[in-house]
Amino acid sequence: MSRPLLEPVGAGQTRFRMQGLSTDARGIAVGREVLITFPTIDWLVAFLGAYSDEASLDDLLPTMTLEHARRREGGHALLLRCAAGDGYAVDRLGRLAGSTRGQLYTGSGSVFLRWRQRDAPFGYDLVSPLAPEGEEVLVVDLDYAASYATVDRMDPVELIQRLQLRRVPLPLAGVSADPEGCGLKDLALALVAPGIASRVLRHLWRLETVFAGYYVQIEGDAQASLLLRIRQPRGRVLDVLYGTPGIELLAPVSSRAAVQVGFRHPIQLSSASGCLPGEEMFLFRGDVGRVERLPGPPRFIDGRHLVEATGAAMPRELGQLREAELEPLQVELQVRPALSPREPRGTLIAWEQVGLLRHLVYLMPPSALAASRVIPLDEGVVVITGSSIGARSRAAAAGLGAAAIVPLGRRLGEVAPGVLVPDGYELWPRVRPALTRQLLGLGPDDHALFLHPRVDPIRVTAEQLLPLDAALIGRLQLSETTVVEPELPALRAGEIENRKLGRFALWGFGRAPKAADERGSGQ
């Protein structure tokens, strides 16, 4: 049976055999550094990606080192070393490392111990002191110790920049079906090949797209490419740019990094600004498998300065205008059948039906009576709902009147303000309503009535419009009344008598007054 190399730390323990161990606020033994071993680089990348989803990699990068090490007993491993911090931060590292097949150890220098487990909630300490040989790193577990010798060192920033992009599925209906899921809801970048730059600019300008851009020199290209920045891109623009050969649509992931649409970087670059040093712009291109580093911060120019006019014809200045007399064109307004229905604004009621109209007045609401006017003619009585001219109330302006609710006579529709024609007809030619009144010679408050298609119109002035309720409802006769002289005798003057109040002064208050005494005095 092998002898254990580690022993659990007790609660409140402050002295350790392992140099560099100290307790945090919860009493957990934590070293100055942590060491995580990974079997392959794929699991190392998975750990960095999982950590960037939960926290910022900028907290690890300043103290992080990556080493490719060979184990003395055989095999290889990748060692990630960084500052430990408190127990909460190390617990997070241990949880993520366990999910990505990594082993977490804590310590300092060249000796590291296994991180705490359920059997040892406060951590582990050495049973007896151990020392590595040479420059090797000694990793101590419960029942074994492994020595790692560094073979090669890797730069974490360079590793993250050189990671290969991974393909992600896009919506079947195109990028426009889910621009937010593709990272293109508010802003989109497009890298345009030199040969089609002018055509793309012309197309975006015709679509009235808000864009800006500038020309960048890509390594290996003879001519400069065009980098466009499109704000609030529309779905049609995104589909055209994504499906055009020679155009790479990129989604911004940070202020200085963009990833091609249809691909995903293994690391959340928005939480790893330390991986993008300087002021350069990084474009991660998935189709060609390259990372373009554009020198300096991007300086976009408004799109209107990138578009040039290609028309050969130049406008000429207009000289002296030719004076000419234009004779007015004589237009005859005609009434012809129409197919489009109109809301009735008036009705022509024969004199034989006026009696029915008198009875219907009692069923009309007061607002309808107030908005209606009546015109007695030889052909009958014309009831007009208050039109858009001369409206004296809100009900009249809204068109609420008797013409819309009275089921009598022939209805009249309004083709212009104050111009009424029979229902089912219209005026030809169709001119502006104001011009129609002008051609008919109507005044500001005049009405024109076309009672029949083959009869000349009738002009009605404002004085000839009578209120409907006053015209149909007769006056009430009031009888005179007479004043009758009173037959009762007048009351004699009263007397006031002052008496001293007793203990209960309000007793008897409100009762009927007592009869006068023998002397005739009242109380």
Side-chain angles (χ1 to χ4, degrees):
M1 182 177 181
S2 61
R3 178 184 176 185
L5 302 178
L6 301 179
E7 62 180 5
V9 174
Q13 181 176 342
T14 57
R15 300 183 63 181
F16 306 97
R17 299 184 182 89
M18 170 71 182
Q19 295 182 359
L21 287 183
S22 62
T23 57
D24 61 357
R26 297 183 295 171
I28 300 174
V30 183
R32 293 190 296 268
E33 295 179 314
V34 294
L35 181 71
I36 309 176
T37 61
F38 296 96
T40 61
I41 192 172
D42 294 336
W43 293 112
L44 170 62
V45 174
F47 168 79
L48 296 177
Y51 187 89
S52 63
D53 290 338
E54 294 190 8
S56 176
L57 275 178
D58 295 335
D59 300 336
L60 297 182
L61 288 176
T63 60
M64 182 192 301
T65 60
L66 296 178
E67 302 175 3
H68 176 211
R70 179 185 293 109
R71 187 176 178 179
R72 182 192 300 178
E73 294 77 12
H76 295 261
L78 293 172
L79 306 182
L80 185 151
R81 187 191 303 225
C82 62
D86 58 359
Y88 294 102
V90 181
D91 283 339
R92 175 192 293 169
L93 293 174
R95 175 173 54 84
L96 297 176
S99 302
T100 54
R101 297 188 181 182
Q103 296 291 335
L104 178 67
Y105 302 90
T106 182
S108 60
S110 57
V111 179
F112 292 86
L113 308 180
R114 184 179 183 86
W115 181 242
R116 69 189 188 108
Q117 293 179 338
R118 179 178 298 180
D119 298 337
F122 297 101
Y124 291 96
D125 189 16
L126 291 174
V127 175
S128 59
L130 297 176
E133 298 181 2
E135 298 182 355
E136 295 180 348
V137 176
L138 183 61
V139 174
V140 183
D141 211 318
L142 294 177
D143 52 358
Y144 71 91
S147 298
Y148 292 93
T150 302
V151 177
D152 188 16
R153 297 181 183 272
M154 295 180 291
D155 185 5
V157 175
E158 184 179 358
L159 172 65
I160 294 177
Q161 293 180 2
R162 296 176 59 184
L163 289 177
Q164 184 179 4
L165 300 182
R166 300 174 180 175
R167 286 191 174 272
V168 293
L170 294 178
L172 297 178
V175 180
S176 60
D178 188 13
E180 184 176 0
C182 299
L184 304 174
K185 180 181 180 181
D186 300 324
L187 188 66
L189 296 179
L191 186 63
V192 185
I196 59 174
S198 59
R199 296 185 179 181
V200 173
L201 288 175
R202 191 181 306 116
H203 179 73
L204 295 178
W205 183 261
R206 290 175 180 174
L207 295 179
E208 299 181 357
T209 306
V210 180
F211 69 94
Y214 73 108
Y215 288 91
V216 296
Q217 187 65 41
I218 303 299
E219 183 180 356
D221 294 347
Q223 299 180 0
S225 300
L226 177 63
L227 181 62
L228 294 176
R229 181 188 64 191
I230 307 173
R231 296 189 180 276
Q232 303 294 334
R234 289 176 291 179
R236 177 184 176 186
V237 175
L238 294 177
D239 288 338
V240 171
L241 294 179
Y242 179 76
T244 303
I247 301 178
E248 297 180 13
L249 195 60
L250 301 103
V253 293
S254 67
S255 59
R256 294 186 298 107
V259 180
Q260 185 176 353
V261 175
F263 295 87
R264 179 181 62 86
H265 197 277
I267 309 299
Q268 289 289 345
L269 297 177
S270 57
S271 64
S273 59
C275 299
L276 309 175
E279 298 181 351
E280 297 176 324
M281 182 71 179
F282 293 82
L283 303 181
F284 294 85
R285 305 170 61 187
D287 289 335
V288 297
R290 291 174 51 181
V291 180
E292 307 296 345
R293 303 180 62 171
L294 307 183
R299 301 183 182 275
F300 291 96
I301 303 175
D302 193 271
R304 65 170 184 253
H305 302 297
L306 301 176
V307 180
E308 299 179 358
T310 58
M314 299 299 295
R316 62 181 180 86
E317 297 294 336
L318 184 63
Q320 181 66 27
L321 294 178
R322 179 179 177 180
E323 297 181 0
E325 296 182 359
L326 299 179
E327 297 181 358
L329 178 64
Q330 300 295 331
V331 177
E332 181 182 358
L333 292 178
Q334 300 179 358
V335 180
R336 72 171 192 175
L339 299 178
S340 58
R342 288 188 176 88
E343 181 182 358
R345 286 288 186 175
T347 179
L348 175 60
I349 303 175
W351 286 105
E352 295 80 6
Q353 296 180 330
V354 172
L356 298 176
L357 179 61
R358 292 179 181 272
H359 294 286
L360 291 176
V361 168
Y362 297 96
L363 303 178
M364 297 181 187
S367 58
L369 290 176
S372 301
R373 299 292 182 267
V374 64
I375 308 168
L377 302 174
D378 295 338
E379 294 83 354
V381 177
V382 179
V383 180
I384 299 178
T385 298
S387 60
S388 55
I389 64 170
R392 302 180 182 179
S393 64
R394 291 186 178 181
L400 178 62
I405 60 178
V406 172
L408 299 175
R410 170 183 288 184
R411 295 192 174 188
L412 305 176
E414 191 176 41
V415 295
V419 181
L420 281 72
V421 299
D423 189 19
Y425 290 87
E426 64 178 357
L427 288 182
W428 183 260
R430 299 173 181 173
V431 296
R432 291 180 289 109
L435 182 57
T436 302
R437 294 184 56 85
Q438 183 179 355
L439 294 176
L440 293 174
L442 299 179
D445 297 332
D446 294 346
H447 287 71
L449 306 180
F450 290 81
L451 301 181
H452 195 274
R454 291 182 295 274
V455 179
D456 294 336
I458 301 174
R459 181 196 303 271
V460 179
T461 61
E463 294 77 10
Q464 296 174 336
L465 297 176
L466 304 178
L468 177 62
D469 50 0
L472 299 181
I473 300 177
R475 293 180 176 272
L476 296 178
Q477 299 295 331
L478 301 179
S479 60
E480 300 293 337
T481 184
T482 58
V483 180
V484 180
E485 294 291 337
E487 299 179 356
L488 298 177
L491 300 177
R492 64 176 182 174
E495 297 180 359
I496 299 176
E497 180 180 355
N498 296 326
R499 292 183 180 182
K500 184 178 180 181
L501 297 177
R503 295 180 59 185
F504 304 98
L506 298 181
W507 280 18
F509 181 78
R511 296 178 182 177
K514 295 181 179 180
D517 54 9
E518 296 177 357
R519 294 176 299 177
S521 60
Q523 183 177 355

